[in-house]
Amino acid sequence: MRVTLTGHAGLFVESGETSVLCDPWFTPAFFASWFPFPDNADLDVAAISRPTYLYISHLHRDHYDEEFLARWVAKDTTVLLPDYPLPELRRCLEGLGFTNFIQTREGEPIDLEGFRASIWTSTTPADGPLGDSSLVLDDGRCRLLNQNDARPRDLDALLAQGPFDAHFLQFSGAVWFPMVYRFPEEEKRALGEDKRANQLARALRYVAAVDARHVFPCAGPPAFLDDALFHLNDLDGDRANIFPDQTVFLSYLAEHGIDRGHLLLPGSVATLDQGSCAVRHPLPEEEIADIFTNKRSYLKAYQERRRPQFEAALAACPEGTVDVVAALKEWFEPLLARADATCEGVGGVAVIDVGSDAVAVDFPRREVRRWQGEDWEFRFHLEARLVESLIERRVDDWVNEVFLSCRFEAERRGSYNEMLYSFFKCLTPERIAYLESVYRPDSPTAGQVRGRRAAWKAPEGEEGEEMWVCQGYLVQRRCPHLGGDLVRFGEVEDGVLTCTVHGWKFELATGRCLTSDTLCLDSRPLGGPGEEGTAGA
């Protein structure tokens, strides 16, 4: 099996005459805020343009490169579709001209020409743009797990398809927190340090759990080339920067006794054969080292090469052509009218401040109006031209465009509210209906809306909820947030249990969630007769 890194999370996997192209990304994403790091502009794209199969893990713009797919990838390629509840990925690819699809079922292996494959999905509103996925490929001699930036929660079932020879996974940041928040600098720095540490620890736990013979960090970080965003690059190993690069993670693995990690650049080829791995790079070793040891110089040169692209992307945004208040009122109010659980879950006013004007999205009242200075719970500061662009293009997922761009600032009064960002992912009637179906009172995650109680419930057909013993408490095994396995991904410090899948924190003594006020953990002091569990944390 040969694996060529095309950049970021992009893989071109070959076995014999069969190939699978995964998540190719070449076009700047999120208002041209993100560029692949290192630069992949010199890759021979013709060599990957006629794969046997195409796999797009999810619709985030650094995985679903619409411009590249439309221009370069043969439209008779067979597409492997994850088992998502909404058919949006298929619709998008059909819109680009693809016609051959294989609809997979959750975790079920299928026999392809040259490969046996399975796709594992996560489908809550918080997973990617309403979904994310991982791919397993087996050519009979080697087995590969392409986790990219998904966070599988049912690891036992996935691992049953192992053992794995190669594990590709995300390790770096792919979010806007805490950089964009108007927190005091000391608080922001502490949050950044916590976020960076949690990301690395989570990736380490996946590496340890999968226990593949060879590990390849991928899917990050991006390069921020715009002058206004350049400071987001991790240039000096800053412990508060959430975008560490590949060499940082490889060093982190080594510090924890794992020496199976390999660095890949765009164009690097890893040849896997029954446990062995040989890596061939497109550059001499000294040039590779220079990318990371002289990263600022590398990025400055990259910036000047690509300056026309990010400047053109911003210049293309409309200015002063849209009545923002009227347009958002017409767009959002019909969605709010359908969003009982969402409006209750957000429970306040979100202000979209575009400088010369501001919009109040009042979730309790289900209305959108010009903001007149009244109280708010959440506030976003954005350039008017970015919001006008979203309106003109009717972008149905603002997270997948403006929020991930980091081209905004945010404030909040109170704790993080996941449902607010879920609303901004669901700006069509179909999406809002899906969001409501997830958060309705009888759904597995209803507790995220209806008061402080455990949200995650055992899947249908399972009896009761599995508990485990954690430092003198009997605790639900699955995180109340999104069902992460706390036995595998829980860390305890000073009486606080952190689920490292998403970083949510809970007091063991009370079950109170320290990340959001909408959840609580089922945590009970040990001592009752017959209480059993698995020691951990």
Side-chain angles (χ1 to χ4, degrees), residues 4 11 32 45 67-68 99 154 184 321 355 387 390 420 436 438 446 521 537:
T4 302
L11 305 178
V45 296
E67 182 176 321
F68 178 84
T99 57
D154 191 2
T321 62
V387 178
L390 297 170
L420 175 66
E436 287 293 294
V438 171
L521 180 76

Side-chain angles (χ1 to χ4, degrees), residues 12 21 44-51 68 72-77:
F12 187 64
L21 178 60
D44 179 11
V45 296
I48 63 172
S49 64
R50 298 199 64 85
F68 178 84
W72 286 103
V73 180
K75 300 306 175 290
D76 59 353
T77 298

Side-chain angles (χ1 to χ4, degrees), residues 356-372:
S356 60
D357 208 346
V359 183
V361 182
D362 190 328
F363 286 87
R365 293 174 179 264
R366 319 286 183 93
E367 70 178 22
V368 177
R369 59 180 182 271
R370 180 168 279 102
W371 182 58
Q372 301 289 355

Side-chain angles (χ1 to χ4, degrees), residues 415-434:
S415 60
Y416 172 70
N417 190 299
E418 190 167 272
M419 293 201 68
L420 175 66
Y421 287 104
S422 294
F423 171 78
F424 281 111
K425 290 182 178 184
C426 297
L427 299 177
T428 65
E430 182 181 46
R431 281 178 170 240
I432 207 71
Y434 171 68

Side-chain angles (χ1 to χ4, degrees), residues 492-529:
V492 178
E493 184 175 356
D494 297 330
V496 174
L497 173 63
T498 299
C499 177
T500 60
V501 175
H502 294 95
W504 284 51
K505 299 177 182 293
F506 303 87
E507 284 184 345
L508 278 175
T510 65
R512 182 170 68 94
C513 180
L514 304 179
T515 305
S516 173
D517 59 7
T518 56
L519 295 180
C520 76
L521 180 76
D522 187 352
S523 179
R524 315 163 194 170
L526 278 175

Side-chain angles (χ1 to χ4, degrees), residues 159 163-165 167 206-215 260:
L159 295 179
F164 295 99
D165 297 282
H167 183 193
Y206 276 116
V207 168
V210 174
D211 196 26
R213 292 186 174 95
H214 303 280
V215 179
R260 309 187 304 275

Side-chain angles (χ1 to χ4, degrees), residues 184-458:
E185 195 57 38
E186 185 176 340
E187 179 184 359
K188 185 185 293 189
R189 182 166 185 81
L191 291 169
E193 290 182 4
D194 186 61
K195 181 71 174 173
R196 180 183 176 108
N198 183 65
Q199 290 168 173
L200 294 171
R202 177 180 63 235
L204 174 65
R205 285 173 180 259
Y206 276 116
V207 168
V210 174
D211 196 26
R213 292 186 174 95
H214 303 280
V215 179
F216 303 88
C218 67
F224 296 95
L225 302 184
D226 191 317
D227 298 291
L229 302 171
F230 197 83
H231 67 282
L232 296 177
N233 297 298
D234 184 18
L235 300 174
D236 305 303
D238 183 357
R239 291 187 304 168
N241 187 288
I242 74 162
F243 299 106
D245 63 39
Q246 295 89 329
T247 60
V248 172
F249 184 61
L250 290 171
S251 296
Y252 182 81
L253 289 180
E255 290 168 7
H256 289 82
I258 296 175
D259 59 1
R260 309 187 304 275
H262 302 271
L263 174 66
L264 296 183
L265 306 175
S268 295
V269 178
T271 301
L272 303 161
D273 188 12
Q274 293 186 321
S276 69
C277 175
V279 175
R280 176 172 52 83
H281 294 300
L283 299 174
E285 290 292 337
E286 58 271 18
E287 291 186 36
I288 295 172
D290 192 60
I291 293 173
F292 298 95
T293 57
N294 295 307
K295 191 172 178 182
R296 185 183 299 274
S297 296
Y298 176 84
L299 288 174
K300 282 294 184 181
Y302 191 2
Q303 180 186 55
E304 291 313 308
R305 293 195 304 272
R306 298 298 190 97
R307 183 174 293 278
Q309 280 184 282
F310 60 76
E311 290 183 346
L314 293 179
C317 295
E319 288 193 73
T321 62
V322 177
D323 183 336
V324 172
V325 178
L328 292 184
K329 182 178 183 66
E330 179 272 332
W331 184 0
F332 287 2
E333 283 193 349
L335 300 175
L336 295 171
R338 302 167 179 240
D340 293 348
T342 303
C343 288
E344 183 180 341
V346 176
V349 173
V351 174
I352 303 171
D353 191 336
V354 296
S356 60
D357 208 346
V359 183
V361 182
D362 190 328
F363 286 87
R365 293 174 179 264
R366 319 286 183 93
E367 70 178 22
V368 177
R369 59 180 182 271
R370 180 168 279 102
W371 182 58
Q372 301 289 355
E374 63 267 32
D375 287 344
W376 50 267
E377 281 68 41
F378 315 97
R379 189 172 179 180
F380 302 105
H381 303 265
L382 299 109
E383 289 187 61
R385 60 179 175 172
L386 300 184
V387 178
E388 289 186 43
S389 176
L390 297 170
I391 292 170
E392 277 204 352
R393 293 180 292 129
R394 204 74 168 189
V395 175
D396 55 17
D397 182 350
W398 285 21
V399 169
N400 197 16
E401 193 74 35
V402 71
F403 292 144
L404 279 169
S405 78
C406 298
R407 295 184 183 275
F408 74 106
E409 290 186 298
E411 298 177 87
R412 67 185 188 216
R413 292 172 177 168
S415 60
Y416 172 70
N417 190 299
E418 190 167 272
M419 293 201 68
L420 175 66
Y421 287 104
S422 294
F423 171 78
F424 281 111
K425 290 182 178 184
C426 297
L427 299 177
T428 65
E430 182 181 46
R431 281 178 170 240
I432 207 71
Y434 171 68
L435 182 63
E436 287 293 294
S437 74
V438 171
Y439 290 118
R440 68 181 185 270
D442 59 343
S443 77
T445 51
Q448 295 185 38
V449 181
R450 303 285 192 246
R452 289 180 48 190
R453 58 188 176 86
W456 189 88
K457 301 295 182 185

